[in-house]
Amino acid sequence: MTMSTLLYLLKVDLVFAVFLLAYLPLRNDARLVFRRGWLLAGGLLAWALPLLPGLLVEPVTFSFTLPEVALGAGAEAGSPLSLGWTAWLPLAYAVVVAGLMLRLLVRAFHAWRLAGVEGAEPLSFLGRIRVPGEADGDDREALIAHERAHVEQGHSLDVLLFELFAAIHWPVPLWRWALRELRLVHELLADRAAQHAHPHYDALLLARALGVPARALVHSFRSSDLKTRIHMLNTPRSKKGSLLRTALVLPALLGALLLVSWNAVPFRPAPQEPMKVAEKMPEFKGGKQAMFTYLVNELKYPAAAKADEAAGTVFVGFVVDADGHVRDAQVKRGVHKALDAEALRVVKGMPDWDPAMHKGKMVPVEMTLPIRFDLPEEK
């Protein structure tokens, strides 16, 4: 996981927050399918929209400063690489996500097994349904209808999807809240499907209201939202206000698009203007003899130059930066295309120099290196 991935996840969180904010007026809406669709679409669009920056508006770019990285002598003793704590943030985030996903896998396996064995609690998971053996008559039919609704409408897949979202976005509690809301909508949908199988379905809910297993993936008939479920069973589906609440889709979508229309790039200060002369000029590590040895070992007389009998001195200009790196190499005065390219290649490949010093500070300095090519004598 990289810092850019964390920035993408931040955009996802912002978009999802917009959709949840627009969902709040729908919490008492009797259009349960619409509410379920809103939550699912909100989660999926939150992941999709940040991949389309600038779809309707021009992206805004802002910069940030990367954490300091010290290499070699700049690192602490005994450590080849020293990083600021923020450099380890993506790795730490990824470790937690991996742990939560492993936990989810174990819980899913446990839920699958639980739904396949007999028990006193009616529940379902994926394609499995469990109904207690002591239930009979209308009670049994209602329990079966309730759990079958969970299975046929694919509620377990919704839960697994949002459990996955919640694991990836573990620092943001909005995803857990949305999962609880989605599970409530599932129960309301299942109640609606099952209430016709029992003449006193609300009484059946009360009779079985003995508590719920904590944090289970399975859909249990019992629920801590009993009051809401009974209230919704007796709430008529009115169209008043439905159009107004549905109209929230457009501003929510536009607001989400505005939130993702930004880019973050590392802040890089403009390089110092190189000096012509410094109190202490740059020096090739090891001195002039070491530079001579480097050039002799690296320079190759190009075959094209030999064929054209080209010879002469190529002047290559470059900057030794404040950190000793060679940059901005260019041919100031050339002789032959092949000779110029060879001289430039060798200069660009130079190892770091000892940087220049001026008034106690390391500064960039312009340098010019003449490289003479003499035709080799024929044997």
Side-chain angles (χ1 to χ4, degrees):
M1 185 174 288
T2 63
M3 188 62 72
S4 61
T5 304
L6 292 183
L7 290 173
Y8 165 74
L9 293 178
L10 174 60
K11 288 186 177 184
V12 173
D13 292 330
L14 291 174
V15 172
F16 191 58
V18 171
F19 279 102
L20 284 189
L21 184 63
Y23 172 81
L24 292 180
L26 299 172
R27 293 198 69 196
N28 293 321
D29 199 305
R31 294 174 301 164
L32 302 177
V33 175
F34 181 73
R35 287 169 60 181
R36 179 193 179 196
W38 184 289
L39 292 170
L40 291 174
L44 294 173
L45 286 175
W47 271 70
L49 291 181
L51 299 176
L52 305 170
L55 185 63
L56 295 180
V57 294
E58 187 69 22
V60 177
T61 301
F62 66 89
S63 62
F64 64 95
T65 303
L66 291 170
E68 181 181 358
V69 179
L71 298 172
E76 296 180 2
S79 172
L81 178 63
S82 177
L83 298 175
W85 69 269
T86 53
W88 296 103
L89 185 59
L91 177 60
Y93 193 101
V95 168
V96 175
V97 170
L100 291 174
M101 286 187 174
L102 179 61
R103 176 174 174 265
L104 175 58
L105 186 63
V106 173
R107 291 174 59 212
F109 177 72
H110 176 71
W112 174 258
R113 290 184 57 189
L114 188 64
V117 298
E118 293 186 3
E121 177 65 21
L123 51 84
S124 61
F125 182 68
L126 295 177
R128 290 188 170 184
I129 293 176
R130 187 181 80 180
V131 176
E134 73 274 8
D136 55 12
D138 291 339
D139 288 3
R140 183 175 183 82
E141 291 300 319
L143 295 178
I144 292 176
H146 181 98
E147 302 304 332
R148 184 183 293 124
H150 284 311
V151 171
E152 292 177 350
Q153 296 177 28
H155 294 170
S156 295
L157 296 177
D158 296 358
V159 172
L160 288 173
L161 177 64
F162 265 76
E163 285 280 1
L164 183 62
F165 286 158
I168 296 174
H169 299 270
W170 57 266
V172 182
L174 288 178
W175 296 90
R176 286 289 171 191
W177 182 89
L179 174 59
R180 289 194 298 270
E181 185 68 17
L182 184 60
R183 289 180 65 88
L184 171 60
V185 173
H186 289 165
E187 295 304 322
L188 297 177
L189 284 167
D191 287 340
R192 180 172 290 173
Q195 65 179 330
H196 304 293
H198 199 289
H200 303 289
Y201 186 77
D202 51 356
L204 177 63
L205 288 180
L206 287 172
R208 301 194 66 89
L210 302 175
V212 292
R215 300 183 180 274
L217 289 179
V218 293
H219 286 91
S220 172
F221 183 80
R222 296 180 298 179
S223 170
S224 58
D225 298 300
L226 184 62
K227 181 179 179 181
T228 302
R229 291 172 64 183
I230 293 177
H231 172 74
M232 192 59 67
L233 284 173
N234 296 282
T235 299
R237 304 183 203 180
S238 174
K239 293 185 178 180
K240 291 183 178 180
S242 295
L243 291 178
L244 180 61
R245 288 191 289 268
T246 305
L248 292 172
V249 173
L250 184 59
L253 187 59
L254 291 175
L257 287 171
L258 289 172
L259 278 178
V260 299
S261 295
W262 53 269
N263 297 317
V265 298
F267 171 73
R268 296 183 178 91
Q272 292 177 263
E273 190 68 25
M275 302 177 65
K276 301 288 186 182
V277 180
E279 293 174 355
K280 179 181 179 298
M281 294 296 286
E283 184 176 352
F284 192 92
K285 291 186 183 294
K288 292 182 179 179
Q289 184 59 42
M291 183 173 68
F292 176 78
T293 302
Y294 168 79
L295 293 174
V296 168
N297 291 336
E298 294 295 324
L299 284 167
K300 309 296 179 186
Y301 214 105
K306 286 182 183 179
D308 294 341
E309 296 185 351
T313 302
V314 179
F315 290 84
V316 180
F318 59 95
V319 174
V320 177
D321 218 334
D323 54 9
H325 296 332
V326 173
R327 63 173 174 88
D328 301 338
Q330 57 183 328
V331 176
K332 288 193 170 183
R333 191 172 74 193
V335 176
H336 182 274
K337 184 177 180 180
L339 296 179
D340 297 349
E342 177 63 8
L344 190 60
R345 179 190 71 81
V346 172
V347 170
K348 285 183 175 180
M350 278 185 171
D352 289 353
W353 291 45
D354 291 324
M357 297 290 294
H358 192 78
K359 296 183 179 180
K361 294 182 179 180
M362 292 182 290
V363 294
V365 172
E366 289 185 5
M367 305 286 289
T368 300
L369 177 64
I371 300 177
R372 191 177 71 191
F373 290 89
D374 294 323
L375 278 170
E377 295 180 1
E378 293 191 13
K379 298 181 181 179

